[in-house]
Amino acid sequence: MALDLVQLVDPRHTALVTQECQRAVIGDLSALPELAEAVAGGTIANIAALVEAAREAGVRVVHCTAERRADGQGANRNARLFGYMARAQSPLIPGSAAAEIVPEIRVADSDIVLPRLHGLSPFHGTELDFILRNLGVTTLVGVGVSVNVAIQNLAFDAVNACYQVVIPTDAVAGFPEEYVEAVFANTLGAISTLVSSDQLLDCWRARE
């Protein structure tokens, strides 16, 4: 049975979670050129619009970021991706420009910023699940990057933790495009509700 989107993303029980929308990931200091190119078609603008609309409607906004200590302590070394990011010219050091959320996405005082030092998922080993439960959240709207890795991790972990997951497909990105479409069709579409940014904006703006 199809879910009623308006009820599913009701601000009283919904959080918008941004994933790794940072300057050294998708912004002007990106160490991942393919990913930076993937978001160039409007993804960042869509995320920014959703963040503003969510806030206005009373949806909780949580920004999940990845960081790495300058000395590398606590960081993963068990995947090629970690090694590549460790050698980046703009490492995600806490407090650095590289670790900042891109300026197009405004961070308000009411938002929660939740960094992690390890892993691929914003859920694993962080306080995200506990924070969402304390806020009374049962639906998670996931935006950001990447569909290749972290967005899938976010969706799987959220479903395993009993959240409803909503993914606006034009507010997430990955590469190559044909792979992203296959993930939507064959993976994320099976475990989450796939929508457009405009559909979410209509739901939230109707409540203002």
Side-chain angles (χ1 to χ4, degrees):
M1 182 176 67
L3 296 171
D4 183 312
L5 185 60
V6 172
Q7 294 301 317
L8 183 61
V9 298
D10 188 308
R12 289 172 293 185
H13 60 239
T14 301
L16 176 67
V17 177
T18 76
Q19 171 67 13
E20 294 181 31
C21 294
Q22 295 161 267
R23 290 178 63 187
V25 180
I26 61 171
D28 59 319
L29 301 175
S30 178
L32 301 164
E34 296 94 343
L35 194 54
E37 182 179 350
V39 302
T43 303
I44 294 177
N46 291 336
I47 296 170
L50 287 170
V51 166
E52 295 296 331
R55 231 183 258 124
E56 289 295 324
V59 173
R60 293 81 169 171
V61 177
V62 182
H63 303 280
C64 294
T65 61
E67 295 184 348
R68 179 185 175 88
R69 285 171 52 111
D71 59 11
Q73 289 193 79
N76 290 76
R77 296 176 175 83
N78 58 329
R80 289 171 57 198
L81 177 61
F82 299 126
Y84 178 81
M85 292 303 292
R87 298 189 299 273
Q89 290 186 347
S90 300
L92 294 164
I93 296 172
S96 69
E100 292 175 352
I101 294 171
V102 295
E104 295 92 336
I105 300 172
R106 185 175 67 89
V107 179
D109 290 340
S110 59
D111 299 351
I112 295 172
V113 179
L114 189 62
R116 72 179 193 278
L117 287 174
H118 75 284
L120 299 169
S121 169
F123 267 100
H124 185 70
T126 75
E127 295 179 303
L128 179 60
D129 185 28
F130 305 103
I131 288 170
L132 295 179
R133 293 185 190 282
N134 286 343
L135 293 171
V137 170
T138 57
T139 296
L140 183 157
V141 177
V143 299
V145 295
S146 72
V147 172
N148 302 69
V149 179
I151 294 298
Q152 292 189 60
N153 269 260
L154 171 64
F156 288 136
D157 287 350
V159 170
N160 284 334
C162 298
Y163 294 94
Q164 288 279 356
V165 178
V166 177
I167 297 178
T169 58
D170 55 352
V172 294
F175 61 92
E177 183 177 353
E178 56 269 24
Y179 172 73
V180 172
E181 293 302 323
V183 171
F184 288 153
N186 301 299
T187 303
L188 293 177
I191 63 168
S192 62
T193 300
L194 301 181
V195 298
S196 68
S197 293
D198 283 344
Q199 286 177 285
L200 280 178
L201 291 173
D202 287 344
C203 291
W204 290 338
R205 287 173 176 168
R207 296 178 176 272
E208 293 177 13

